[in-house]
Amino acid sequence: MFGRKRILVTGGAGFLGSHLCEALLRQQHEVLCVDNFFTGTRDNIRHLLDNPSFELLRHDVTFPLYVEVDEIYNLACPASPIHYQFDPVQTTKTSVHGAINVLGLAKRVKATLMQASTSEVYGDPQQHPQKEDYWGHVNPLGTRACYDEGKRCAETLCFDYHRQHKLSIKVARIFNTYGPHMHPNDGRVVSNFIVQALRNEPITIYGDGSQTRSFCYVDDTVDAFIRLMDTDPAFTGPVNIGNPEEQTVRELAETIIELTGSRSTLTYKALPSDDPTRRCPDIELAKSALDWTPRITLSEGLGKTIAYFDTLLSQRDKL
C-alpha cells in the first residue's frame, strides 16, 4: 500500500504506547511493538495480537535492537514516580542508554525518531505557563532526578545526533495524560483518585491540594504524536503536548467524586519531595506547527477513564 510504513514503538505495551499502536494500525501501517513489560502489560495490546500488521517483541531498550523500520517512537521508560523511583538507576539507564540505542538504530536505517520527553524537564517551574524555550528548574540530586535528568539527557542526545549525524528527530514534551490502559497502581492522581472513588475509600491528596496540573486525554496526545512525526523534516521541536486548562488537585478530586457518585472523603498527606506546585503547558507552538489543540473535555475524558477502571476493578473482584 502506498504510504504504508514500518513503525517501531518502544514501550508499546504501556499506557501511551498501546494507544499509539492502535492509532498507527488504523492508518494501515505495520507496527513493531517492543516492551520489557516492567510497567506495560499484554492486556493493553492483547486485542492487537491477531492483527497481521502487528508484531510484539519482548526486549529492553537498554540493549541494542536490530530491526528494519521507517519510523521510531521512543516511549520506553516508566513515567510515574512510584515506578521510576522503584529502580532509579535502571530508570536513568532506560532514558539514556535506551536513547543511545534507538538513535543508533535510527541512524543505521535512516529512520525518523520521535523521542517522548516530558514536562518534568521543566522541574518545579519558575515560568508559568511553561514554554519550550524555558530551561527549567530541576533538582539534579533529588529522588525525581533519575527521570527528570534522564529525559533531559535523552533530549540532549537527540539534538546532538541531529547536529552531528543529520538524523531526523522530533521531541515531544508530554504533560499529564490520562485515559484507559493507565496502571491502577501507578500513583498518578487521575488513576489514584478514580480507583479510590470507585471503592468509596478516602481520596489521598498530597499537600493542601492547591497545586495545579493540566490533564490531556490520551487520544488527543496520540494525535499530537502522529502530527509531530508528519511535520516537515526541518521541524524538530521540542514541542509541548498537553492541555492548557489548569485544575487544582483538589478540584480534580471533587470532580471525580461527583462523576462516580462516590461516598469518598478527602484526606491530606505531606507533599512529596520536589513535587511541582504548578504545571501547565504553553501550546502555541503545537497549535501553529502541528495544527493541534486538545478536543476532548476533562469531563468527557474522565467519564471514559472511569468506565475503564470500573470494568477493570469488577473483573479483578471476580477473580
Side-chain angles (χ1 to χ4, degrees):
M1 179 184 294
F2 180 77
R4 185 180 178 91
K5 299 174 183 175
R6 298 165 298 175
I7 302 176
L8 167 63
V9 180
T10 69
F15 163 47
L16 285 175
S18 57
H19 285 278
L20 177 59
C21 288
E22 289 179 358
L24 294 171
L25 288 169
R26 285 195 296 270
Q27 293 186 345
Q28 305 300 309
H29 297 303
E30 295 180 14
V31 176
L32 172 59
C33 168
V34 168
D35 207 294
N36 69 351
F37 296 106
F38 174 59
T39 56
T41 170
R42 284 182 185 273
D43 289 339
N44 288 342
I45 44 89
R46 193 178 303 278
H47 60 296
L48 305 178
L49 295 176
D50 290 335
N51 189 322
S53 296
F54 181 77
E55 184 179 358
L56 173 63
L57 175 64
R58 187 178 192 123
H59 181 83
D60 191 313
V61 295
T62 60
F63 297 94
L65 180 63
Y66 300 99
V67 293
E68 304 298 322
V69 292
D70 302 304
E71 294 178 349
I72 302 169
Y73 291 84
N74 184 32
L75 275 60
C77 189
S80 71
I82 285 179
H83 291 147
Y84 68 62
Q85 291 173 0
F86 175 77
D87 188 346
V89 172
Q90 186 62 28
T91 296
T92 304
K93 286 182 177 180
T94 300
S95 289
V96 179
H97 292 186
I100 290 170
N101 287 330
V102 295
L103 286 162
L105 170 62
K107 177 187 171 187
R108 181 179 67 82
V109 300
K110 296 180 173 56
T112 299
L113 173 99
M114 193 210 83
Q115 170 64 32
S117 190
T118 172
S119 60
E120 297 293 342
V121 301
Y122 299 124
D124 188 1
Q126 296 176 326
Q127 179 190 94
H128 188 81
Q130 292 83 60
K131 296 184 178 181
E132 288 86 354
D133 60 1
Y134 176 53
W135 290 356
H137 179 229
V138 175
N139 176 7
L141 307 179
T143 57
R144 301 169 71 101
C146 58
Y147 185 68
D148 302 1
E149 297 288 28
K151 288 291 189 177
R152 285 162 71 94
C153 184
E155 286 196 15
T156 300
L157 286 162
C158 285
F159 280 93
D160 283 338
Y161 266 80
H162 174 66
R163 286 185 286 259
Q164 186 173 340
H165 301 296
K166 311 304 180 186
L167 186 68
S168 177
I169 64 159
K170 314 285 181 180
V171 175
R173 289 180 178 164
I174 306 164
F175 283 69
N176 291 63
T177 303
Y178 70 98
H181 298 181
M182 292 183 81
H183 196 291
N185 300 317
D186 66 6
R188 302 184 197 185
V189 288
V190 172
S191 50
N192 270 8
F193 289 179
I194 290 176
V195 170
Q196 289 172 332
L198 289 172
R199 290 174 171 166
N200 294 303
E201 298 173 349
I203 289 183
T204 306
I205 293 178
Y206 294 95
D208 63 6
S210 63
Q211 66 270 37
T212 67
R213 298 292 184 270
S214 56
F215 301 99
C216 190
Y217 189 67
V218 62
D219 289 357
D220 283 330
T221 299
V222 167
D223 178 42
F225 289 171
I226 295 173
R227 288 171 181 257
L228 175 57
M229 183 66 87
D230 290 342
T231 54
D232 185 277
F235 182 76
T236 60
V239 57
N240 290 335
I241 295 175
N243 193 321
E245 295 184 5
E246 244 179 315
Q247 299 274 324
T248 68
V249 171
R250 188 188 308 111
E251 287 171 342
L252 176 69
E254 292 168 347
T255 298
I256 289 173
I257 289 174
E258 180 180 352
L259 290 173
T260 56
S262 175
R263 300 188 301 274
S264 294
T265 57
L266 304 183
T267 183
Y268 297 85
K269 294 187 177 181
L271 195 67
S273 174
D274 298 324
D275 193 62
T277 54
R278 299 192 78 180
R279 183 60 60 71
C280 182
D282 180 303
I283 62 167
E284 290 306 311
L285 180 59
K287 288 179 180 179
S288 61
L290 312 184
D291 189 25
W292 175 86
T293 54
R295 297 182 179 181
I296 298 175
T297 64
L298 183 62
S299 59
E300 180 185 357
L302 286 176
K304 294 179 179 182
T305 311
I306 288 166
Y308 167 78
F309 277 111
D310 193 23
T311 300
L312 182 68
L313 295 178
S314 297
Q315 291 172 344
R316 290 190 174 188
D317 290 341
K318 292 177 182 178
L319 296 178

